Amino acid sequence: MKKPLRVFVLALLASVLVHLAMLGSGLLPDAVIELPPDQALRKIDVKMQALALDTPAPPAVPTARLLPAGPAPGTVSHHPAAKKRKPKREASGPQARADRAQDKQADTTAEMADASQPAAESSKTTEASAATAEHVAAKAEKHAKAEEASTPVASSTDKATGYLYPASTLHRFPARAKLGYQTFYNGAMVGSGGLDWQHDGQRYTLEIRFNPLVGGNLRYLSQGSLDKHGLQPDSLQAWRGSDAKESARFDHAAGVLHFGEQGDKEVALRAGAQDVFSLAFQLGLKGGQLGSAPLQITTGKKVYDYPMTPSGETDYDTGSGKIRVIVFRAKGEDDITEFWLAPDFSNLPVRISRIDKSKRVELRAVLINVDGTEQWRLPARPMTRNNR
């Protein structure tokens, strides 16, 4: 047997033995997201909206509906609050000053009379508390209905059979999000991955992990600031195991983008520049509306100019239901980057792929957690005689 053929047979045998060992070790998942390499895109029918970044503040009286003095839900208060008089513009002159002095004296007399009748005052206080609680509850309910009406999530009448929707209505861009992925290399499932996003309204942190079945783990950390214009990355750092690899540093003051394995390469930094991972969240936050001009994007190793516009709509078929997605496809000279963003799940990326002449690397979501609530998880495959 010739040496090249012998090496190939040995490598194939070793691969088979490794996969057989993993099948019995529990390292392989119970279910795998199976998708065709290239899916046909259709015309975009689902509306992808820009999402509010700020976290809604709690109401002034968060337990207004639970106050003992408040009316029961659906009842009408027997003690309506007194009508508020519209403030009148104060007049000037001697007569106006005399009138104000007379009103002040009348108010003082009324207060002294009320102080001598504690029982009556207690009753008035209770009535005022009830009316105030009813007013706050009604206002909060009205605000909640208005917010729900403006959400991009489909209403119950719009929900199509066979599609997945979040466990609760998602109104805003998440302050925290966790996504679990399966990692594919040239169509074969080769490991798992994860994404952790968080922001405090001024700074963001985005961490992406690749955990292959064989070889060292990869980790990327993107950090920067954010405001009404979106994300402004400061840095991107990659690690393989514990070894630092490629990086990017966005020097906004000097207008320079540093990048490379040693960080020793540089180009002029353009407005709106993103790293390859922050780009997905900038698209999600802005509803995909980043303009038609090419964006400056860096992977840490290289810098590209990508026009980033929606290419079409398709379905992310999980095998247990479909998720509607808008596909953003950026074509470089010899590579393609795709983000599949899910409008029903806060515009989060459920599929990320990078394709070049020699390889296709993909992340396919199996878990979506938004602000501490698990919105969806790929269910385990039922045990049958064929997959025991």
Side-chain angles (χ1 to χ4, degrees):
M1 186 181 291
K2 295 182 179 181
K3 185 175 180 180
L5 181 59
R6 184 167 61 250
V7 171
F8 173 76
V9 171
L10 290 175
L12 180 62
L13 179 61
S15 177
V16 171
L17 291 175
V18 168
H19 280 80
L20 287 175
M22 288 180 176
L23 284 172
S25 66
L27 293 176
L28 292 178
D30 293 329
V32 176
I33 298 287
E34 299 289 352
L35 295 172
D38 296 294
Q39 289 184 224
L41 303 181
R42 56 183 182 264
K43 181 181 177 181
I44 299 176
D45 290 327
V46 58
K47 177 67 174 177
M48 183 174 172
Q49 298 183 7
L51 299 179
L53 184 64
D54 57 317
T55 302
V61 186
T63 56
R65 297 185 185 182
L66 302 179
L67 287 177
T75 63
V76 179
S77 173
H78 296 290
H79 305 283
K83 292 184 179 180
K84 294 183 179 180
R85 290 180 296 179
K86 293 183 179 180
K88 296 182 180 179
R89 182 176 298 176
E90 292 187 359
S92 59
Q95 182 61 41
R97 287 194 294 270
D99 291 342
R100 286 197 294 271
Q102 185 177 0
D103 291 342
K104 185 175 181 181
Q105 183 178 0
D107 291 341
T108 304
T109 304
E111 290 176 2
M112 293 175 62
D114 288 342
S116 65
Q117 298 178 359
E121 178 66 24
S122 177
S123 175
K124 291 179 181 179
T125 302
T126 302
E127 293 173 7
S129 299
T132 302
E134 183 182 10
H135 174 71
V136 173
K139 187 175 181 180
E141 185 175 358
K142 181 178 179 182
H143 174 73
K145 288 181 178 180
E147 192 174 49
E148 185 174 354
S150 63
T151 180
V153 179
S155 65
S156 57
T157 57
D158 296 331
K159 292 181 179 179
T161 304
Y163 285 82
L164 298 171
Y165 296 91
S168 57
T169 303
L170 305 176
H171 300 287
R172 299 171 180 270
F173 203 67
R176 294 177 294 118
K178 286 181 176 290
L179 282 85
Y181 295 96
Q182 291 175 350
T183 305
F184 290 77
Y185 185 89
N186 289 340
M189 207 282 288
V190 295
S192 61
L195 179 154
D196 288 302
W197 156 267
Q198 59 181 347
H199 77 84
D200 61 5
Q202 296 180 328
R203 302 284 303 174
Y204 80 86
T205 300
L206 175 59
E207 182 179 4
I208 300 92
R209 301 176 304 280
F210 298 87
N211 306 314
L213 298 174
V214 179
N217 294 340
L218 284 172
R219 185 167 71 95
Y220 295 86
L221 182 63
S222 172
Q223 294 179 305
S225 60
L226 77 169
D227 55 23
K228 63 180 180 180
H229 302 294
L231 281 68
Q232 186 179 72
D234 291 335
S235 63
L236 172 69
Q237 178 65 59
W239 290 270
R240 181 178 291 276
S242 58
D243 299 328
K245 294 295 183 181
E246 67 268 21
S247 65
R249 184 167 61 86
F250 299 73
D251 190 339
H252 299 282
V256 178
L257 173 58
H258 304 270
F259 66 99
E261 291 281 353
Q262 307 299 324
D264 53 351
K265 301 177 183 180
E266 62 180 46
V267 295
L269 179 64
R270 300 217 311 264
Q274 300 287 327
D275 65 63
V276 70
F277 299 110
S278 68
L279 174 59
F281 280 76
Q282 177 74 339
L283 284 167
L285 177 61
K286 306 301 288 183
Q289 304 302 315
L290 302 186
S292 57
L295 292 175
Q296 187 178 46
I297 308 297
T298 181
T299 61
K301 289 183 178 180
K302 298 180 180 180
V303 177
Y304 303 86
D305 288 329
Y306 282 153
M308 186 59 68
T309 56
S311 300
E313 178 184 339
T314 190
D315 297 326
Y316 180 68
D317 193 344
T318 69
S320 61
K322 299 176 182 179
I323 297 176
R324 301 183 302 173
V325 296
I326 305 297
V327 177
F328 291 83
R329 181 178 292 164
K331 295 183 178 181
E333 294 181 0
D334 55 2
D335 63 88
I336 299 175
T337 300
E338 280 188 359
F339 298 105
W340 290 27
L341 306 186
D344 294 317
F345 291 86
S346 294
N347 297 342
L348 291 171
V350 296
R351 186 183 189 186
I352 302 173
S353 65
R354 281 187 57 80
I355 309 161
D356 60 26
K357 295 179 179 179
S358 61
K359 63 182 179 298
R360 182 189 191 109
V361 180
E362 295 183 50
L363 292 176
R364 302 177 187 175
V366 294
L367 168 69
I368 302 175
N369 186 300
V370 176
D371 289 329
T373 300
E374 185 174 295
Q375 301 292 345
W376 171 75
R377 177 189 292 270
L378 180 68
R381 182 175 55 185
M383 293 297 291
T384 66
R385 290 184 178 180
N386 295 327
N387 62 17
R388 284 180 181 173

